[in-house]
Amino acid sequence: MRNIAPTPPSSARRLRWLLALPKLGIVLLLAAILSLLWLLHRNETEEERAALIKDVLWLEQSLRFHLNSNEEQLQQLAADLTGQTEAKKLFRLRAGHQLKNNPEISQLLWFDAQGSVIDALPTTTLPDQEIAAFGPPVAAKAFELASRLGKRYYSEPFFLEGNRAVVELMNPIFDEGQLKGMLVVVYPLDALLGNLVPWWFTEKYKVEIIDDNDIQYATKTNIDNKGSQSYEIPFDPPGFGMKLRISNYQNADNSLQRGLTLAIFALAAGVFWSLWIVRDLMKKRSQAEEALSAEHAFRTAMEDSLTVGMRARDLNGKVIYVNPAFCKITGFSREEIVGTTPPMPYWVPEQIEETFAQHQRVMAGNAPPDGFEITFMRKNGERFDALVYEAKLIDGKGQHTGWMASILDVTERNRAEEFARMQHEQLQFTSRLVTMGEMASTLAHELNQPLAAIASYNTGCLNLLDRPACDVREIRPALEKIGVQAQRAGKIIRRVHDFVRKSEPKRAPCALGEVIEDCLGFVEPDARKRRIRIECTIPGLPPIPADRLMLEQVLLNLIRNGMEAMAATPEADRVLHIATETTDSELRISVSDQGCGIAPEIRDKLFTAFFTTKPEGMGVGLSICRSIIEFHRGRLWAEDNTHSPTGSGTIFAFTLPLEAA
């Protein structure tokens, strides 16, 4: 890992300037684009308004021309009706023709001088008849003004049923200066727009007839949409403050323009945001480099201070990394190890095949999870024991790239363990000697009996031989008894010799019944002396893999502890019971006494080394017993004897697995 230096202040300032220049360029570009869009929009607006005014003027002239044409036709009809005998027939003919050619006219009426209807097409019903109840008819006012002025006159707009606005054109009929009648043309304003405004005009504009109070009288449009621009022009005739208001529709291109503007702003915002992210990333990168440098320094210091050797190999077995501790353990430098492939320089030459086989197992991913021990060689040729833990080497992408090993020099630990094992064996041997020493007086008394019997039988034989009439057949029984007593003494001496002899622990098929019988042979004299009865039922037991001498030491220690615990128990209740129980996987042996029991506060300390409740005890007996049982993969424990007639007592039990030797 390389050491990355932190970013200097000058580089940070240069980085800020480099990031500021693109921002400035984007701002200028954005301002230029927005200015261009604004100018384009302004020019487009001015062009639209110019086109709007032009079209409004054209429409106003078209309406004026059409209304003037109607006025002239109406005036001609009024002149033709004067002095005609068949005026009514002429009215109907000319009025029908005018209604047919001018669909914007809804009704044409002929009044006399008093305002009575002479004739009308298509109906004689007055258009303002429905609103007469709300005040003076508008038509009457216009009739009067046209009569006084003696010329054509438009009425004020008014609304009929259904909210339909109309205006009426009054044309007086004079004969030799006398008012003879009135021709009236009814214009519904919506029909006026509907028939006189061309379709193409409404494709572009919305046309409305309003007054000064913005009251709408009629409108024509194809789209219900509010225009962006409008233009108003007086609608005269008919006048009375009415105006034409023409509004253009929203241009579809505006949405594209707005979308383009929004896209530009979004793009600019995205670029600014990207630059901000880049700035933030550069800042974080600088911080990460500083943190990485500090982390690298920390890891280097940590690796240098480790006492555990670290070695990394790739998938092909080539060494790619070692730490200083590994170099110190092996005596080789980093340059001498990194890059090497099997066989490694620290492998022991005489164990190349075994070491290479272990190397192959590691490369195949079959390394023991709890580690394995192997012998390595230092550069000076010295051998040492190494404890190796292998684990997968995973890179930042989660890929398996090799193997990382932790290596410990356990030579001194193994020596200490071997020394401790020897000390433990010596302690076991010493414990057996102490046990024999404690039993020496009992064993001596037990040996005196057969020796005294041998001496007596020998004296008797000599006396028989001194007699003149000695019969050899009388001597034979005595000699046989001497042999029996000698065998008895020899058996006692053999048991003592076997028990106290020093030997290496060895697990072999062992008959537990014979072990129990030998132990009873040791303790029977002491039991008779203490007035203790030993009950033991030994069924047929399968052989178990165990060290016979060690099991004898455990049973003898437990039996003697049980007998000592019943020192204060009445003689009738001094019973020691030895029982065995077999399950599918283990054998259970228990030694039960009816003694004083064990206090709860000292039960947890029973198996602690050098803890004893005896005035002259060493405190190692039960500790050694537990070590022996655990060596045989079993367990040893103590519990209260709840079945004791005295209400007290202890059961020491241990288990041994039923496994192949």
Side-chain angles (χ1 to χ4, degrees):
M1 185 183 298
R2 62 188 183 91
N3 193 0
I4 302 174
T7 306
S10 59
S11 299
R13 288 194 297 270
R14 185 166 60 253
L15 177 63
R16 285 196 295 269
W17 275 107
L18 290 176
L19 291 175
L21 289 176
K23 293 179 182 178
L24 180 60
I26 291 172
V27 170
L28 295 176
L29 177 62
L30 183 62
I33 293 175
L34 291 178
S35 300
L36 178 61
L37 290 175
W38 179 79
L39 290 174
L40 291 175
H41 177 70
R42 181 179 176 183
N43 291 337
E44 183 180 357
T45 302
E46 291 178 354
E47 290 177 359
E48 287 180 355
R49 185 160 186 84
L52 173 64
I53 294 173
K54 179 180 178 181
D55 291 338
V56 168
L57 293 176
W58 175 88
L59 179 62
E60 190 269 339
Q61 291 176 3
S62 177
L63 292 176
R64 184 186 297 274
F65 173 79
H66 203 85
L67 291 176
N68 289 338
S69 177
N70 290 342
E71 290 175 6
E72 292 175 357
Q73 292 180 20
L74 188 63
Q75 186 176 2
Q76 184 63 41
L77 177 59
D80 293 342
L81 289 177
T82 303
Q84 291 287 339
T85 57
E86 295 183 358
K88 192 171 184 179
K89 183 178 180 181
L90 179 64
F91 171 79
R92 282 192 164 268
L93 179 63
R94 299 279 293 277
H97 179 75
Q98 193 165 358
L99 288 174
K100 182 178 180 181
N101 294 328
N102 298 285
E104 70 275 7
I105 300 175
S106 64
Q107 192 175 22
L108 201 152
L109 302 100
W110 181 14
F111 292 90
D112 60 12
Q114 287 75 33
S116 299
V117 178
I118 299 174
D119 199 0
L121 285 178
T123 177
T124 59
T125 302
L126 297 179
D128 59 346
Q129 200 168 12
E130 298 89 347
I131 63 172
F134 299 98
V138 176
K141 182 180 179 181
F143 188 95
E144 182 181 357
L145 288 174
S147 301
R148 289 181 182 179
L149 295 175
K151 62 178 182 178
R152 296 183 299 274
Y153 186 81
Y154 283 90
S155 69
E156 296 181 15
F158 58 93
F159 290 93
L160 299 178
E161 183 180 4
N163 203 28
R164 190 179 191 191
V166 298
V167 294
E168 294 182 349
L169 173 60
M170 305 290 177
N171 190 87
I173 303 174
F174 287 94
D175 186 14
E176 297 180 357
Q178 295 294 323
L179 180 66
K180 297 296 182 179
M182 187 76 67
L183 289 177
V184 179
V185 177
V186 180
Y187 287 109
L189 295 180
D190 55 352
L192 185 67
L193 294 182
N195 290 280
L196 299 184
V197 177
W199 63 269
W200 59 266
F201 198 89
T202 54
E203 291 291 329
K204 297 171 58 178
Y205 305 108
K206 177 180 180 181
V207 182
E208 299 174 279
I209 298 177
I210 60 172
D211 62 6
D212 292 334
N213 297 321
D214 210 24
I215 297 175
Q216 187 183 79
Y217 293 101
T219 182
K220 183 175 182 181
T221 179
N222 285 337
I223 303 174
D224 188 13
N225 191 2
K226 184 178 180 181
S228 60
Q229 295 190 60
S230 63
Y231 188 76
E232 296 178 0
I233 191 170
F235 188 28
D236 189 13
F240 296 104
M242 287 194 295
K243 294 180 288 186
L244 287 173
R245 181 165 67 189
I246 290 84
S247 303
N248 63 353
Y249 300 133
Q250 288 282 2
N251 194 345
D253 295 336
N254 290 339
S255 60
L256 179 61
Q257 185 176 357
R258 287 194 297 270
L260 181 61
T261 304
L262 291 176
I264 292 173
F265 274 106
L267 179 61
V271 173
F272 271 102
W273 179 75
S274 301
L275 290 175
W276 184 266
I277 293 297
V278 170
R279 174 185 175 276
D280 189 56
L281 289 176
M282 296 296 290
K283 184 178 180 181
K284 289 181 179 179
R285 181 177 182 274
S286 177
Q287 294 174 350
E289 289 178 350
E290 294 178 4
L292 185 61
S293 176
E295 182 71 15
H296 177 72
F298 172 74
R299 287 182 178 273
T300 301
M302 182 178 64
E303 291 173 4
D304 292 343
S305 64
L306 280 177
T307 58
V308 177
M310 304 296 292
R311 177 197 61 193
R313 293 181 290 182
D314 61 16
L315 295 176
N316 296 322
K318 183 175 71 174
V319 179
I320 57 176
Y321 167 79
V322 290
N323 70 337
F326 184 85
C327 297
K328 183 178 180 181
I329 291 173
T330 59
F332 292 93
S333 65
R334 187 191 302 268
E335 292 74 15
E336 291 174 317
I337 298 177
V338 173
T340 58
T341 56
M344 305 299 179
Y346 47 83
W347 286 6
V348 178
E350 59 270 19
Q351 298 181 6
I352 286 291
E353 293 183 0
E354 296 85 347
T355 307
F356 187 76
Q358 185 64 47
H359 167 80
Q360 292 294 98
R361 285 193 290 271
V362 171
M363 292 294 104
N366 298 323
D370 298 330
F372 59 90
E373 287 194 18
I374 193 171
T375 302
F376 283 159
M377 181 181 67
R378 294 189 174 92
K379 188 175 182 179
N380 58 8
E382 179 185 357
R383 271 64 168 171
F384 67 95
D385 297 332
L387 178 60
V388 182
Y389 295 92
E390 293 280 358
K392 289 183 177 180
L393 187 62
I394 307 298
D395 63 7
K397 299 179 180 179
Q399 300 293 326
H400 177 206
T401 59
W403 300 92
M404 174 62 76
S406 302
I407 300 172
L408 298 172
D409 184 354
V410 294
T411 305
E412 294 300 325
R413 190 195 72 177
N414 290 346
R415 290 175 183 172
E417 289 179 353
E418 180 65 20
F419 180 75
R421 187 185 64 80
M422 295 175 60
Q423 290 292 97
H424 191 267
E425 292 178 2
Q426 183 65 35
L427 188 60
Q428 290 182 20
F429 178 68
T430 303
S431 176
R432 292 198 295 271
L433 291 178
V434 170
T435 301
M436 288 294 100
E438 293 174 350
M439 297 174 64
S441 60
T442 302
L443 292 173
H445 177 72
E446 188 71 9
L447 283 172
N448 279 334
Q449 292 182 0
L451 292 177
I454 290 171
S456 298
Y457 289 132
N458 184 61
T459 301
C461 290
L462 291 174
N463 291 333
L464 289 175
L465 291 174
D466 290 338
R467 291 170 58 183
C470 177
D471 189 355
V472 177
R473 288 176 297 180
E474 294 179 358
I475 299 175
R476 184 178 182 85
L479 292 177
E480 289 177 351
K481 291 180 180 179
I482 289 174
V484 171
Q485 295 299 324
Q487 289 178 359
R488 179 184 174 189
K491 189 175 182 179
I492 293 173
I493 293 172
R494 179 184 58 78
R495 286 175 180 168
V496 173
H497 176 266
D498 290 342
F499 188 73
V500 299
R501 69 185 174 90
K502 189 174 182 181
S503 62
E504 293 291 329
K506 183 179 180 181
R507 297 177 67 193
C510 174
L512 188 62
E514 296 178 1
V515 175
I516 296 175
E517 288 180 357
D518 285 348
C519 291
L520 293 179
F522 274 121
V523 299
E524 278 178 353
D526 196 18
R528 288 195 302 269
K529 180 179 178 180
R530 296 174 184 268
R531 305 291 192 271
I532 295 174
R533 186 172 73 257
I534 299 178
E535 296 179 352
C536 180
T537 55
I538 306 175
L541 300 175
I544 57 173
D547 186 286
R548 180 189 182 98
L549 187 59
M550 286 184 171
L551 292 186
E552 285 183 3
Q553 184 174 357
V554 172
L555 281 170
L556 191 59
N557 199 308
L558 297 180
I559 292 171
R560 293 185 69 252
N561 284 347
M563 291 193 300
E564 291 174 358
M566 292 187 290
T569 304
E571 290 186 9
D573 297 327
R574 295 178 185 176
V575 179
L576 187 75
H577 185 72
I578 302 174
T580 60
E581 181 181 354
T582 305
T583 65
D584 294 337
S585 59
E586 63 183 13
L587 179 65
R588 183 178 184 270
I589 303 96
S590 62
V591 179
S592 308
D593 64 63
Q594 298 177 182
C596 58
I598 300 174
E601 60 271 12
I602 67 173
R603 179 167 297 176
D604 295 337
K605 303 177 183 178
L606 279 177
F607 301 99
T608 304
F610 306 109
F611 173 79
T612 181
T613 57
K614 303 175 184 178
E616 298 178 358
M618 295 175 60
V620 295
L622 289 177
S623 175
I624 291 175
C625 289
R626 171 167 279 186
S627 299
I628 291 173
I629 296 301
E630 290 177 349
F631 169 76
H632 287 81
R633 300 184 183 90
R635 59 190 185 95
L636 171 64
W637 73 94
E639 59 188 28
D640 292 333
N641 188 359
T642 57
H643 304 291
S644 173
T646 62
S648 62
T650 306
I651 299 175
F652 281 90
F654 63 90
T655 60
L656 296 172
L658 293 174
E659 58 182 9

